[in-house]
Amino acid sequence: MTEAVSRNRQSYWRRILGDTLVRWGARLGLVWVALLALVAVFAPFLASSIPLLVSQQGEISSPVLNYLTPLDVVLLCLFFTLLILWFLPMGLGKKLLILLGIGLLCGLAAMKWIEPPRLIIYEQYRVAESAGAYDWVLKAPIPWSPTDYLRDFGDTGLERPLDDEQRAHWFGTEQNGADVLSRMIHASRIALGIGFVATGIAMLLGVIIGGLMGYFSGVVDMIGMRLVEIFEAVPTLFLLLTFVAFFGRSLYIMMVIIGITSWPGYARYVRAEFLRLRKQDFVQAAVASGLPLGSILFRHMLPNGMGPVLVAASFGVASAILAEATLSFLGLGLVGDPSWGEMLNQAVQSSSFNWWMAAFPGGAIFMTVFAYNLIGEALRDAIDPYLGRAS
Amino acid sequence: MATYLLRRLLLMIPTLLGITLVVFVVMAASPGGISAQSLVEGQNLDPEAKKEIEAYYNKLYGLNDPPYMQYLRWLNNASPIGFVFDEENQIAGFSFTKGSDLGRSFRYGRPVLDLLGERVPITILLNVLSIPLVYILALLVGVRAATERGRSFDVSSGVIMLALWSVPTMLAGVLMIGFFANDQYWHWFPTAGLSDRQALDMPFMPHWANLGDIGLLFLSIAVFLSLYLYLARLSDLRLRAGLFALTGLGLGLAMVDGLSEQSQGLMLWILLPAVFALCSGWFATTEYDLMRVLGFALAGLVVGVLVAIYVMQGVWLRGYLVDRIWHLVLPVLCLSYGGFAGLAKLTRTSVLENLMADYARTARAKGLSDHVVLWRHVFRNSLLPLITVAASLLPSLLAGSVIVESIFSIEGMGKLAVEAVQTRDRELVLSITLIGGVLTLIGYLIADILYAIADPRVSYD
């Protein structure tokens, strides 16, 4: 009895979060995503041909720091800000604002001051090391950079996982001799970034359009639904293909396009929720007290109608990652930067079938998509326990 | 109903306009865009010839005109009614019978309609084969999961379906083609295309050199099929599981034996048969009779055919039909597993919703058996949401066929689409967008009509 009462006192969101987290599927999914995020943030320290620390005649220096790109620095800054903010007692909105501000500041500062050398000669450190120039060297756990083709060894090419005792490539190498695991680690950024940003854009558009549709109903709803129908009939993959083929291959364009083409689903959910909520007393009270539209929509109605949107968002992240992988697989992905889909494509391009080139990047895509789907499923069961597995 | 249909058909027009306009704007606004220069680019010609060809292209495709004129011209050509032009490109009149002309492809230099006429049927063949497979299997699994809610079948099938749903088509395709259509591993299936070149000259049905072999084939299949069907019905759980695990072990050993020398290893000799044996043993313990019988029948068929092939001496000609099926196995599998997993989850939800509805409780309360309640009352009502999903399944299958066709080198519409955008073939890109949009919208329309037929409560008037 007391338990039931205290349960009711919890806020809606806390309860949903708690109900989600008791499910092992959600836990596993979250663990994987968190691991991926860590790997993505610390990628330059995890997989790099450049030593982390070297001691040269008693003088300790860290060469890897010289090679950090602005993006690396921004990600690190954001990560540590997030870590600090997590423990500070503060409202969620304030935290988000601070995070955004620091992100922007870091971005500007990094763009201005950080200039990694254009030409990176990976061999120089290996050569210097074998020549005995250093007292000791601390290398990254995976001592290969994603675009380090190991030209100094001379015999590089395809290698099975753990084929060579001296040069341990955990997941083997691709045709040019670059380490597959290192490429995967650096590609995790693309997968995570595209998932979050594309879904964020889609969610923003969907919530605004769907919210207006549901709140006003009538003519606005009619027009909005036609818009939704048009966008749903657009063959998304094909539009993406066209966009990417005609407008250079940029990660940002991909994010925006995936976002723009996938908002109708969110709009539908928000519309349905808002149609249900608009005549309820608390909304009427908010209207009667003369609150501005933005406040009614986003402060009062949205938190009560956000459940289905979050479920859809979780699945949406998964499908955005899949969309990027598909594009890269079809040979329309980014140039230069490895991505999981592009690595799968590489596996097909080579004359012989090398299972490690397909299985590991493909497995990473699968694991990530599966993790998001598990989280989405658990969220849905928590929000709507009526049809869940536990009866 | 008729007015509704008319309204829907009319509403399709602005949608199609919108889609093609978006795609055209993307093409026209892109850096470089579509111009005669971009078509001639890369060809090693002297400047004068280049100019000549550019002028020719400009005249042929009207690439000199401002973009909106290009779009309007394309629209006018593509729509079945519109203006007709005379020799000097002046409007000669308005015609209702001019028919639609999708133009000529830049790259192939052929009418787009011909190209699509070759390619679309192949994509449709793939999809038509996948959809029934998807639905039958999904219903089998989904209905059972709903009735077993919370028990082991529900939980395990739920996780397996979610995992299957998350496997990217690229990964499945690449692994399938890598392991089952490759000389390095098992070369069971062809690597590319929909038929061998020789198969085009073969008779439709397979032929054998001597009649005994046919008899042998049928005999072997019949013997093993009935043996396994008998096994499936065995009530002794342990015996059943053990015997089926033995089959798995045998198949696994046969698979490793079929490998080339350098890819065999001790680990593989142990691991693969063990995994096979465990999986088949686990499968045999399921209490779901229908699924078990189907699985055992499949195993019987495979073993029967394998034994027959092993014993048969004579030469045989596989014929067009078997060749086509042989080519289709991997692509269809690859195309359908995702849809199957998604649909199975949906079926479960839908059946469960209906099982808990008041009318199902009433039916049970009046003394009907669970079987009758499920199949007579609940099942039919649960089909309704599945009809709606059929509409959205079609676009996703079309998108899936882009990947599948690229992996398996099938000359269908999906592959054409990728080639078209890669070579910036304006007419082809626009036409494929149009066809894709039309197919999607017709899918939605058919789903709505079916919905009205299946559910008398729904009326569109």
Side-chain angles (χ1 to χ4, degrees):
Chain A
M1 182 65 204
T2 50
E3 207 172 90
V5 171
S6 69
R7 207 178 143 75
N8 279 337
R9 279 212 202 105
Q10 287 176 336
S11 82
Y12 173 71
W13 285 110
R14 203 162 275 272
R15 201 179 72 226
I16 294 289
L17 218 61
D19 277 357
T20 309
L21 284 180
V22 292
R23 282 157 227 268
W24 62 267
R27 284 186 191 171
L28 277 183
L30 275 178
V31 165
W32 175 258
V33 173
L35 200 73
L36 215 59
L38 275 180
V39 165
V41 169
F42 292 103
F45 301 106
L46 283 175
S48 171
S49 298
I50 305 157
L52 300 182
L53 282 176
V54 293
S55 158
Q56 202 164 9
Q57 284 130 26
E59 203 173 311
I60 296 175
S61 64
S62 170
V64 73
L65 290 183
N66 299 333
Y67 289 92
L68 288 184
T69 60
L71 184 68
D72 295 332
V73 177
V74 173
L75 280 179
L76 283 169
C77 280
L78 280 179
F79 179 76
F80 285 112
T81 323
L82 198 67
L83 212 63
I84 296 167
L85 283 179
W86 188 267
F87 294 104
L88 287 183
M90 220 187 279
L92 192 68
K94 242 184 206 169
K95 279 185 187 174
L96 271 178
L97 226 76
I98 293 178
L99 197 65
L100 212 69
I102 289 186
L104 268 176
L105 266 178
C106 280
L108 286 176
M111 289 289 246
K112 193 151 169 33
W113 285 305
I114 293 176
E115 269 176 40
R118 287 276 165 78
L119 181 73
I120 307 175
I121 304 162
Y122 296 112
E123 292 95 284
Q124 60 184 7
Y125 294 101
R126 282 197 293 267
V127 171
E129 191 194 344
S130 56
Y134 304 134
D135 309 330
W136 50 263
V137 182
L138 179 67
K139 284 189 192 169
I142 292 119
W144 320 106
S145 280
T147 46
D148 181 1
Y149 300 116
L150 309 181
R151 300 237 164 80
D152 50 329
F153 288 105
D155 59 338
T156 48
L158 275 170
E159 228 170 79
R160 290 171 168 279
L162 295 176
D163 215 20
D164 193 333
E165 308 253 315
Q166 251 97 60
R167 281 178 279 161
H169 294 289
W170 290 95
F171 287 177
T173 63
E174 39 98 274
Q175 306 91 313
N176 297 324
D179 186 76
V180 169
L181 179 58
S182 162
R183 285 170 87 78
M184 276 172 63
I185 286 177
H186 283 262
S188 64
R189 286 184 174 181
I190 292 178
L192 274 185
I194 207 144
F196 278 122
V197 178
T199 312
I201 294 173
M203 213 158 85
L204 199 71
L205 279 175
V207 164
I208 292 174
I209 297 176
L212 290 176
M213 265 155 62
Y215 182 73
F216 287 110
S217 68
V219 182
V220 179
D221 189 30
M222 228 284 286
I223 297 171
M225 278 315 276
R226 293 292 89 71
L227 204 64
V228 165
E229 276 170 13
I230 289 182
F231 267 86
E232 276 182 341
V234 172
T236 318
L237 182 67
F238 189 63
L239 195 64
L240 264 173
L241 279 175
T242 321
F243 255 101
V244 176
F246 279 83
F247 278 91
R249 297 147 181 206
S250 149
L251 186 64
Y252 304 104
I253 287 186
M254 258 194 238
M255 288 172 175
V256 171
I257 310 290
I258 296 177
I260 291 178
T261 45
S262 53
W263 61 266
Y266 303 96
R268 264 181 198 276
Y269 285 119
V270 176
R271 167 182 174 268
E273 288 292 307
F274 275 33
L275 279 179
R276 180 175 67 82
L277 291 172
R278 63 192 285 258
K279 285 291 167 213
Q280 289 198 1
D281 289 344
F282 71 96
V283 178
Q284 295 294 315
V287 175
S289 47
L291 290 177
L293 183 63
S295 166
I296 300 173
L297 283 182
F298 298 117
R299 187 171 277 257
H300 294 262
M301 288 175 86
L302 191 59
N304 291 289
M306 200 60 188
V309 179
L310 273 191
V311 177
S314 189
F315 292 123
V317 174
S319 63
I321 291 173
L322 270 184
E324 189 275 329
T326 309
L327 280 184
S328 303
F329 177 74
L330 293 175
L332 290 165
L334 304 175
V335 190
D337 287 332
S339 95
W340 293 340
E342 189 245 316
M343 296 173 76
L344 255 182
N345 186 27
Q346 269 187 326
V348 188
Q349 299 301 332
S350 62
S351 52
S352 60
F353 174 66
N354 310 298
W355 60 268
W356 61 93
M357 277 169 67
F360 293 123
I365 302 175
F366 162 67
M367 292 283 279
T368 314
V369 171
F370 190 35
Y372 279 113
N373 283 340
L374 275 175
I375 297 172
E377 185 106 320
L379 256 177
R380 181 168 57 198
D381 285 354
I383 286 169
D384 180 18
Y386 184 59
L387 296 174
R389 299 216 191 281
S391 37
Chain B
M1 194 74 193
T3 49
Y4 172 75
L5 273 183
L6 197 66
R7 205 171 67 224
R8 283 293 297 265
L9 285 175
L10 286 178
L11 264 177
M12 277 167 75
I13 296 171
T15 314
L16 288 175
L17 272 179
I19 300 172
T20 50
L21 188 62
V22 168
V23 170
F24 186 84
V25 167
V26 169
M27 288 193 290
S30 68
I34 335 153
S35 57
Q37 284 90 342
S38 71
L39 285 178
V40 192
E41 215 169 66
Q43 295 175 23
N44 207 358
L45 297 169
D46 59 86
E48 258 171 54
K50 210 166 204 169
K51 204 162 269 174
E52 285 290 308
I53 291 185
E54 277 179 25
Y56 170 72
Y57 277 137
N58 277 334
K59 190 169 179 313
L60 191 62
Y61 300 116
L63 295 172
N64 258 350
D65 296 338
Y68 66 90
M69 273 304 291
Q70 293 187 30
Y71 179 68
L72 287 180
R73 179 170 305 129
W74 178 82
L75 202 64
N76 185 45
N77 286 339
S79 80
I81 53 170
F83 299 103
V84 280
F85 295 89
D86 60 11
E87 306 283 292
E88 277 96 46
N89 254 344
Q90 300 298 312
I91 293 172
F94 193 84
S95 157
F96 287 95
T97 50
K98 75 175 189 58
S100 68
D101 171 23
L102 293 176
R104 295 170 80 85
S105 153
F106 289 175
R107 181 169 169 242
Y108 293 90
R110 294 174 51 198
V112 171
L113 221 52
D114 287 5
L115 269 175
L116 286 176
E118 285 168 17
R119 304 296 191 94
V120 171
I122 291 173
T123 301
I124 290 184
L125 171 74
L126 281 177
N127 288 327
V128 161
L129 286 175
S130 313
I131 290 177
L133 195 71
V134 164
Y135 264 83
I136 292 170
L137 289 177
L139 284 178
L140 272 178
V141 174
V143 171
R144 182 70 177 188
T147 50
E148 295 261 302
R149 183 192 183 185
R151 272 182 262 163
S152 67
F153 184 84
D154 185 23
V155 175
S156 54
S157 78
V159 175
I160 292 173
M161 289 304 126
L162 197 66
L164 211 57
W165 195 44
S166 316
V167 177
T169 318
M170 299 88 80
L171 175 64
V174 168
L175 289 185
M176 273 184 198
I177 207 165
F179 282 115
F180 299 131
N182 193 314
D183 273 333
Q184 285 168 283
Y185 298 97
W186 300 279
H187 193 141
W188 294 342
F189 294 101
T191 7
L194 273 188
S195 52
D196 274 352
R197 199 161 293 161
Q198 309 98 294
L200 296 176
D201 305 327
M202 290 182 193
F204 189 69
M205 297 304 277
H207 281 262
W208 279 268
N210 57 340
L211 246 119
D213 280 348
I214 309 178
L216 201 71
L217 180 72
F218 278 102
L219 187 74
S220 153
I221 290 178
V223 166
F224 281 99
L225 204 58
S226 40
L227 177 71
Y228 275 90
L229 283 179
Y230 171 73
L231 273 183
R233 301 228 147 249
L234 270 184
S235 52
D236 187 352
L237 194 77
R238 268 194 218 147
L239 188 65
R240 196 171 72 205
L243 283 174
F244 203 54
L246 220 60
T247 311
L249 195 73
L251 282 177
L253 286 173
M255 261 179 92
V256 181
D257 192 46
L259 274 180
S260 61
E261 284 292 327
Q262 74 252 33
S263 8
Q264 289 176 6
L266 188 64
M267 278 300 284
L268 207 63
W269 273 106
I270 299 169
L271 216 64
L272 201 70
V275 169
F276 266 59
L278 274 179
C279 283
S280 37
W282 179 66
F283 180 78
T285 56
T286 177
E287 303 200 340
Y288 187 12
D289 291 329
L290 192 56
M291 202 172 79
R292 202 177 61 226
V293 168
L294 280 179
F296 272 65
L298 190 69
L301 204 66
V302 168
V303 173
V305 171
L306 282 182
V307 169
I309 288 174
Y310 191 70
V311 179
M312 272 192 308
Q313 340 266 329
V315 191
W316 71 296
L317 192 63
R318 62 176 175 274
Y320 186 73
L321 180 68
V322 176
D323 183 74
R324 184 44 75 86
I325 293 173
W326 187 49
H327 278 82
L328 276 173
V329 171
L330 289 186
V332 167
L333 260 183
C334 203
L335 197 58
S336 46
Y337 75 89
F340 152 64
L343 208 64
K345 295 171 70 58
L346 211 92
T347 312
R348 174 188 175 273
T349 320
S350 162
V351 172
L352 203 56
E353 234 161 42
N354 279 293
L355 270 178
M356 294 197 290
D358 287 339
Y359 74 88
R361 193 182 310 144
T362 314
R364 270 193 296 269
K366 115 187 143 165
L368 293 182
S369 72
D370 276 350
H371 188 78
V372 176
V373 173
L374 178 65
W375 291 110
R376 229 160 201 228
H377 296 248
V378 167
F379 180 66
R380 292 205 215 166
N381 282 310
S382 325
L383 286 181
L384 289 176
L386 299 189
I387 293 173
T388 329
V389 171
S392 56
L393 199 66
L394 194 70
S396 71
L397 280 177
L398 282 179
S401 56
V402 171
I403 304 166
V404 170
E405 283 168 13
S406 320
I407 296 176
F408 293 96
S409 320
I410 296 169
E411 300 292 326
M413 202 176 88
K415 192 148 177 279
L416 190 68
V418 178
E419 286 168 5
V421 294
Q422 272 170 346
T423 52
R424 302 195 161 201
D425 196 331
R426 185 190 72 187
E427 317 292 291
L428 208 49
V429 170
L430 281 172
S431 307
I432 290 173
T433 319
L434 188 70
I435 299 286
V438 167
L439 284 179
T440 311
L441 288 173
I442 287 179
Y444 283 133
L445 187 63
I446 291 175
D448 279 351
I449 295 170
L450 282 179
Y451 202 75
I453 294 172
D455 188 351
R457 287 169 304 182
V458 175
S459 100
Y460 293 121
D461 291 325

